[in-house]
Amino acid sequence: MTLGQAPRQPDLFRSTAGFCEPRVAPGSIYGLLHRECHRLFGDEMFAVTDVGRRSVPPMIVAVVMVLQRIEGCSDREATDRFCFDARWKYAAGGLDFDYPGFVHTVLVDMRARLAGSSAPNRIFDAVLDVAKAAGLVGRRRVLDSTPLYDAVATMDTVTLIRSAIRGLLKVAATELESRLRAVLVREDDYACAGKPVCDYDDPDARAALVDALATHGMALLRVLHGRELAEAVTQAAALLATVLGQDLDEDTNGVFRIARRVAPDRVISTVDPQARHGHKTAARGFDGYKGHVGIDPDSEIITATTVTAGNAGDASAAEDLITDLLDTDTEHADAEHGPGDDGDSGGDGEPAATVYGDNAYGTGELQERLEQVGIESKCKTQQPVATGGRFAKDRFDIDLRHDTVRCPAGHTAPIRRSNATGTASFWPYCTHCPLRQQCTTAADGRTVTVGIHEKLLAAARARQRDPDWITDYRATRPKVERKIAHLMRRRHGGRRARVRGTTKIAADFALLAAAVNLARLAVLALASTPGRGWATAAG
């Protein structure tokens, strides 16, 4: 389609500019977008092939997408707001009151075009580039994550298996579908969604239903075995095999029963197979995804976002949030520069990069990665704990130089290693030790595991006992909590995902971060001036 151009010279007598100017705060996101929308989201930034009918100007669509995210609107609500809320047209450059609206499918099409492009997060990137140009992004990062509840219902085992069978039959070609249906012997054509008819109050009836569904699923997979399949059929078969294997056990009589366990990476919905059970704390669970953010603690600008399954560890996404720091500091490390020769710079006069995070980020792997590239780690490392108030691991003196461990009673045991991980067993000493009840209840005595990153973790725990370290951490780390509160404050599209799948949710989360960043830049009075470029009131 051709590239529509947003109007730049509205009629002063019919424009929303004159109406909104005295009513809209200059420090609001509407005021910032009104002043800078053409420079932030120029039409050329979204240029497409110049064929087809004339499009809605991309700058206007980008402004609507940003306001939609900051206000938590659905697509239909967003296009209605653009039609009837003067502030939205004011934000799009001060359009006329009677400027025509557009249908909600334009927003759907824009998201699809961005997703298929080489820069799917270009709106977030454009806003971040402006913040960098204004000098608002330094070399410190604070990392954290937050649950994103999925947009589908979590399925039980019966619904999962039946839905997976329906999905396989749906994508199979006519001939293959006939072969598949030939092995289905239950009185169920799998045409309708939901649970099959069963007396769910009868344990025997429930068990028979589970076995029948599992038998059907296994029979379908046997039909497909060895065949050359279309990609959609392969994916549907893989999903069916996954849900059968994760929730079922087969007894000695060949009867399938629901397993009395939860699989570590359990699929919870066939509608959104990438969603997972997650835990924010040991007592607080959720279903869906995790949104991860990195912020600059001085300006409170979000510098990076990513989305993972709900069961992913926070530290596993950390590198995606500090890519810019890793790129620059790897060069310094390769040139034999640490975090500055004097501890205050990262080489070439740049300040040292620092990463802050709570206990979830204080893993040995991340501590090692940060040390490799010369980034100062202020990620808190969990102190060892033991059940029942017994001696924790930190009560043992681990001597890595001599590969020995000394227990609180003064006994020393050698570390026996398998690869880089080792264990020290105190069973000869525990038999008559007066401290046994305070140490262990194991019949074979106390065993201490020494991990591959033991030295790094011990050093991290020692650092975080320093009063200056504690003061800096407490003054800096909590800032990310406030920023996450800004991201999650809307019910629609905040905590609850609006779309399905990691890729789409990640793009939507990045757009939300762009909108929150713009709101922050508006408070900082960001403006572009001739000769100076982008700057804030304080800059």
Side-chain angles (χ1 to χ4, degrees):
M1 62 178 66
T2 58
L3 184 65
Q5 299 292 319
R8 293 172 179 261
Q9 294 181 340
D11 188 331
L12 295 179
F13 298 101
R14 295 190 299 122
S15 168
T16 54
F19 175 78
C20 292
E21 194 78 39
R23 296 174 172 83
V24 175
S28 68
I29 190 172
Y30 306 102
L32 173 62
L33 286 172
H34 172 73
R35 297 189 303 269
E36 308 294 351
C37 59
H38 291 286
R39 284 173 285 275
L40 282 167
F41 310 127
D43 293 318
E44 63 281 358
M45 174 179 159
F46 303 92
V48 293
T49 305
D50 191 16
V51 294
R53 63 182 180 82
R54 190 173 182 82
S55 70
V56 179
M59 184 278 290
I60 293 176
V61 182
V63 168
V64 171
M65 290 174 69
V66 167
L67 293 178
Q68 174 189 18
R69 297 305 287 116
I70 201 72
E71 295 196 9
C73 301
S74 67
D75 289 347
R76 294 180 187 274
E77 289 170 337
T79 51
D80 282 348
R81 293 274 182 96
F82 180 71
C83 274
F84 303 111
D85 191 328
R87 294 175 303 172
W88 284 50
K89 290 183 177 179
Y90 175 72
L95 301 175
D96 293 346
F97 281 104
D98 60 353
Y99 188 86
F102 52 87
V103 296
H104 72 279
T105 54
V106 171
L107 297 173
V108 179
D109 180 68
M110 174 66 95
R111 286 195 295 269
R113 288 174 179 271
L114 289 175
S117 71
S118 58
N121 293 331
R122 69 184 67 190
I123 294 178
F124 174 82
D125 294 338
V127 175
L128 182 58
D129 288 342
V130 166
K132 290 179 178 179
L136 296 174
V137 179
R139 291 171 55 77
R140 298 200 302 163
R141 299 288 183 272
V142 188
L143 314 182
D144 205 358
S145 71
T146 189
L148 300 176
Y149 305 147
D150 56 15
V152 298
T154 299
M155 297 179 174
D156 59 26
T157 300
V158 169
T159 309
L160 268 176
I161 297 174
R162 188 172 183 277
S163 180
I165 292 174
R166 289 184 66 247
L168 177 58
L169 295 173
K170 184 177 180 180
V171 298
T174 303
E175 181 181 353
L176 179 58
E177 182 184 0
S178 298
R179 291 179 178 273
L180 293 174
R181 288 191 177 278
V183 301
L184 302 179
V185 296
R186 287 184 62 248
E187 295 182 0
D188 187 348
D189 59 4
Y190 295 95
C192 301
K195 286 187 176 183
V197 176
C198 174
D199 182 3
Y200 289 98
D201 293 329
D202 183 353
D204 293 334
R206 292 200 310 268
L209 173 62
V210 170
D211 180 61
L213 287 172
T215 302
H216 271 191
M218 295 294 183
L220 293 175
L221 294 177
R222 282 194 292 271
V223 172
L224 298 177
H225 182 69
R227 291 175 176 268
E228 185 175 343
L229 305 173
E231 182 180 358
V233 178
T234 300
Q235 292 176 353
L239 180 59
L240 175 58
T242 298
V243 299
L244 288 172
Q246 70 182 9
D247 283 354
L248 300 177
D249 285 334
E250 186 177 7
D251 63 19
T252 56
N253 298 322
V255 177
F256 292 98
R257 300 186 183 278
I258 295 178
R260 300 302 177 187
R261 53 179 165 75
V262 178
D265 196 37
R266 184 176 185 267
V267 174
I268 62 176
S269 170
T270 57
V271 180
D272 189 357
Q274 294 176 317
R276 294 292 185 270
H277 294 305
H279 286 277
K280 187 60 178 174
T281 66
R284 178 185 166 203
F286 65 94
D287 291 337
Y289 299 83
K290 276 186 181 179
H292 304 261
V293 298
I295 73 163
D296 181 286
D298 300 311
S299 62
E300 297 188 21
I301 293 294
I302 300 171
T303 58
T305 66
T306 190
V307 168
T308 63
N311 61 348
D314 288 359
S316 66
E319 289 198 34
D320 293 334
L321 302 177
I322 56 172
T323 303
D324 55 339
L325 298 183
L326 291 174
D327 290 342
T328 56
D329 285 86
T330 298
E331 297 174 2
H332 298 320
D334 291 342
E336 296 185 352
H337 290 288
D341 295 338
D342 57 359
D344 296 323
S345 68
D348 300 330
E350 294 183 356
T354 308
V355 174
Y356 299 77
D358 59 18
N359 285 323
Y361 296 92
T363 63
E365 291 81 1
L366 183 57
Q367 298 283 16
E368 181 181 44
R369 180 69 174 121
L370 296 177
E371 185 179 76
Q372 286 174 348
V373 296
I375 295 177
E376 183 181 3
S377 172
K378 291 203 172 177
C379 297
K380 198 172 183 180
T381 298
Q382 180 71 51
Q383 295 291 345
V385 295
T387 59
R390 296 182 177 86
F391 294 145
K393 186 176 178 179
D394 59 353
R395 294 292 301 272
F396 291 75
D397 184 11
I398 301 175
D399 186 347
L400 296 176
R401 181 179 178 184
H402 298 97
D403 258 5
T404 60
V405 178
R406 187 176 64 185
C407 74
H411 303 296
T412 301
I415 299 174
R416 291 181 171 83
R417 294 192 177 273
S418 174
N419 297 325
T421 303
T423 57
S425 176
F426 289 89
W427 72 265
Y429 311 110
C430 292
T431 306
H432 304 292
C433 180
L435 301 180
R436 179 186 176 92
Q437 295 303 317
Q438 298 174 257
C439 187
T440 183
T441 58
D444 295 334
R446 182 66 180 261
T447 299
V448 175
T449 302
V450 180
I452 185 174
H453 299 110
E454 196 68 42
K455 183 177 180 180
L456 281 172
L457 294 176
R461 293 186 184 107
R463 282 198 306 269
Q464 66 194 38
R465 288 193 291 267
D466 180 75
D468 292 337
W469 194 100
I470 295 172
T471 299
D472 184 33
Y473 180 86
R474 289 178 176 173
T476 306
R477 221 289 304 183
K479 293 181 179 180
V480 73
E481 302 285 357
R482 179 167 63 247
K483 189 54 59 176
I484 285 178
H486 294 165
L487 288 165
M488 298 294 107
R489 70 181 183 270
R490 299 288 184 185
R491 180 178 180 183
H492 185 86
R495 181 72 67 196
R496 175 74 63 181
R498 306 189 314 148
V499 288
R500 300 193 297 264
T502 305
T503 301
K504 290 183 178 180
I505 293 176
D508 202 48
F509 192 59
L511 182 59
L512 175 59
V516 170
N517 275 349
L518 279 171
R520 176 61 179 164
L521 292 172
V523 172
L524 297 174
L526 177 79
S528 61
T529 55
R532 293 182 58 196
W534 295 99
T536 61

